[in-house]
């Protein structure tokens, strides 16, 4: 039996489902039951009524959210070290400190935070729904963390004042993209459409034809009459874009735009996770309860 067959067999035996983030390696996306962004995967996880195990091929905070929303299921992260550096940039103590400083301003946290930080916010948002969530809150000024670039994007889109929690977090992978590369690619590929993730810096966002999350990029590319796209987000998304649009062309704005944490997951590690049922992601009940409220409020405001 090859590795894929072994994974299939274990999946059946253990009633497991593999959920892979859009930034996962192509071979993982190909064997996954579902590929999507964090919100699509969380929704899918909740739909899997018969599953006992969720193999969440992504990074720590995403598996934590899956565990919070699916307490009756075992959630496995194939690589224990797959931790999002942006989420680590906003420790609970810092959230508490800035909340104290601005007690009357609602706090919105990007889902790219650890569960314990989520316990302190009014509501969470993803890159796909940040604008919708912030528009829905009855306040003109909001405190936001950890991503300063997403905060900038939301401020432009909503006209509200968004205060990023100091010193401000960022995605080290999305910061690698430069507008010069994207514009050069656009020129090389007959005026291709530039799609940019809001985690990229403002100057890259400013030259975009479209700004959106990975799920929004997938929808945009599918519905667009354009044939060629330059993509400024983690390179894993190109696999899904090409698969869903075989007649269109996709070029990374910068091939080095790779998230080493996302890439820690491999087919071998998925096989081992299924076999050993490790690494199991759990969230203490008191933390899970509060973080769940913030996640569910996000669903309520956006569904
Ligand atoms: O929410 C997600 O899955 C992230 C972090 C990226 C995106 O835009 O899909
Ligand atoms: Fe975190 Fe950036 Fe990697 Fe996403 S791409 S998991 S935000 S480091």
């Amino acid at each position: 039996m090859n590795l894929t067959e072994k994974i299939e067999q274990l999946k059946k035996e253990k009633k497991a489902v593999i959920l892979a983030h859009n930034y996962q390696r192509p071979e993982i996306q190909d064997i996954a039951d579902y590929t999507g962004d964090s919100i699509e995967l969380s929704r899918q996880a909740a739909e899997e009524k018969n599953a006992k195990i969720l193999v969440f091929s992504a990074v720590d905070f995403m598996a934590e959210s899956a565990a919070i929303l699916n307490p009756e299921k075992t959630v496995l992260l194939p690589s224990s070290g797959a931790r999002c550096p942006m989420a680590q940039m906003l420790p609970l103590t810092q959230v508490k400190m800035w909340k104290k400083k601005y007690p009357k301003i609602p706090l919105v946290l990007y889902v790219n935070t650890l569960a314990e930080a989520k316990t302190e916010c009014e509501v969470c948002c993803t890159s796909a729904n940040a604008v919708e969530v912030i528009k829905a809150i009855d306040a003109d000024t909001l405190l936001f963390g950890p991503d300063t670039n997403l905060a900038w994007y939301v401020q432009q889109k909503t006209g509200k004042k968004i205060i990023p929690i100091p010193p401000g977090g960022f995605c080290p992978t999305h910061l690698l993209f430069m507008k010069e590369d994207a514009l050069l690619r656009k020129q090389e590929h007959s005026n291709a459409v530039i799609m940019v993730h809001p985690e990229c810096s403002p100057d890259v966002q400013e030259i975009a034809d479209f700004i959106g999350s990975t799920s929004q990029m997938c929808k945009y590319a599918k519905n667009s009459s354009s044939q060629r796209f330059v993509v400024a987000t983690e390179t894993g998304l190109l696999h899904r874009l090409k698969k869903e649009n075989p007649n269109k062309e996709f070029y990374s704005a910068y091939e080095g735009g790779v998230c080493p944490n996302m890439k820690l997951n491999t087919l071998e590690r998925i096989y081992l996770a299924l076999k050993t049922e490790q690494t199991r992601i759990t969230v203490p009940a008191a933390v899970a309860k509060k973080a769940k409220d913030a996640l569910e409020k996000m669903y309520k405001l956006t569904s």
Side-chain angles (χ1 to χ4, degrees):
M1 254 197 289
N2 67 27
L3 197 54
T4 309
E5 288 163 347
K6 284 187 196 164
I7 290 173
E8 285 299 331
Q9 192 185 40
L10 278 174
K11 253 177 57 184
K12 259 192 220 131
E13 257 173 51
K14 300 199 175 196
K15 290 196 170 41
V17 171
I18 300 174
L19 301 157
H21 191 267
N22 287 330
Y23 297 157
Q24 293 298 281
R25 295 169 187 269
E27 62 275 22
I28 294 182
Q29 295 192 28
D30 289 343
I31 58 125
D33 295 283
Y34 298 94
T35 304
D37 66 5
S38 58
I39 201 170
E40 289 172 331
L41 296 181
S42 304
R43 285 216 162 105
Q44 190 55 45
E47 292 292 307
E48 294 295 334
K49 304 274 184 258
N50 296 324
K52 287 206 159 60
I53 294 179
L54 302 174
V55 179
F56 224 83
S57 197
V59 291
D60 55 353
F61 73 85
M62 297 184 187
E64 271 190 351
S65 295
I68 290 165
L69 296 167
N70 298 276
E72 72 297 345
K73 294 180 184 126
T74 299
V75 176
L76 303 176
L77 184 65
S79 297
S80 55
R83 292 153 69 94
C84 167
M86 188 205 281
Q88 317 293 328
M89 288 175 193
L90 190 54
L92 176 64
T93 47
Q94 205 175 333
V95 177
K96 283 188 168 164
M97 192 173 94
W98 286 92
K99 252 182 80 172
K100 232 186 205 166
K101 215 172 154 108
Y102 293 102
K104 296 209 172 95
I105 300 180
L107 168 67
V108 180
L109 287 184
Y110 192 20
V111 284
N112 297 33
T113 42
L114 297 173
E116 56 179 32
K118 288 186 176 82
T119 61
E120 290 290 323
C121 73
E122 183 150 323
V123 58
C124 290
C125 71
T126 68
S127 47
N129 63 26
V131 170
E132 210 181 340
V133 166
I134 281 170
K135 274 189 180 163
I137 295 174
D138 187 20
D140 291 333
T141 304
L142 295 111
L143 197 55
F144 187 87
D147 190 4
T148 46
N149 292 333
L150 183 61
W152 183 85
Y153 170 71
V154 174
Q155 179 161 295
Q156 308 299 307
K157 280 281 185 184
T158 62
K160 295 192 179 191
K161 184 169 183 215
I162 311 293
I163 306 172
I165 299 182
F170 58 89
C171 164
T173 298
H174 282 85
L175 270 203
L176 298 173
F177 290 93
M178 284 169 55
K179 68 174 181 193
E180 290 79 5
D181 293 318
L183 289 170
L184 187 65
R185 287 278 143 89
K186 184 182 177 85
Q187 224 177 38
E188 280 169 1
H189 300 291
S190 9
N191 211 28
V193 167
I194 301 181
M195 300 196 291
V196 173
H197 196 279
E199 286 175 16
C200 291
S201 54
D203 63 331
V204 183
Q205 295 190 37
E206 271 166 355
I207 54 103
D209 296 302
F210 175 75
I211 303 173
S213 68
T214 58
S215 57
Q216 287 167 333
M217 285 185 191
C218 289
K219 272 187 214 123
Y220 183 83
K222 205 179 231 167
N223 297 329
S224 167
S225 56
S226 303
Q227 284 303 301
R228 281 167 286 274
F229 301 83
V230 172
V231 186
T233 192
E234 211 279 346
T235 57
L237 184 69
L238 272 90
H239 183 65
R240 180 170 164 196
L241 286 167
K242 287 177 184 168
K243 216 165 147 178
E244 290 181 354
N245 305 278
N247 299 321
K248 296 182 178 177
E249 293 164 32
F250 298 91
Y251 304 94
S252 174
Y254 174 58
E255 277 84 8
V258 176
C259 172
N261 312 286
M262 283 282 182
K263 287 340 193 229
L264 282 174
N265 299 317
T266 59
L267 270 190
E268 285 79 4
R269 288 179 174 185
I270 288 183
Y271 165 69
L272 291 171
L274 277 165
K275 194 169 162 205
T276 61
E277 299 188 16
Q278 296 293 335
T279 298
R280 193 168 172 176
I281 302 299
T282 55
V283 179
V287 173
K289 188 179 175 302
K290 283 196 190 164
K292 192 175 182 189
D293 289 345
L295 288 166
E296 282 181 344
K297 188 162 177 199
M298 167 181 83
Y299 287 118
K300 226 184 261 161
L301 290 180
T302 55
S303 55

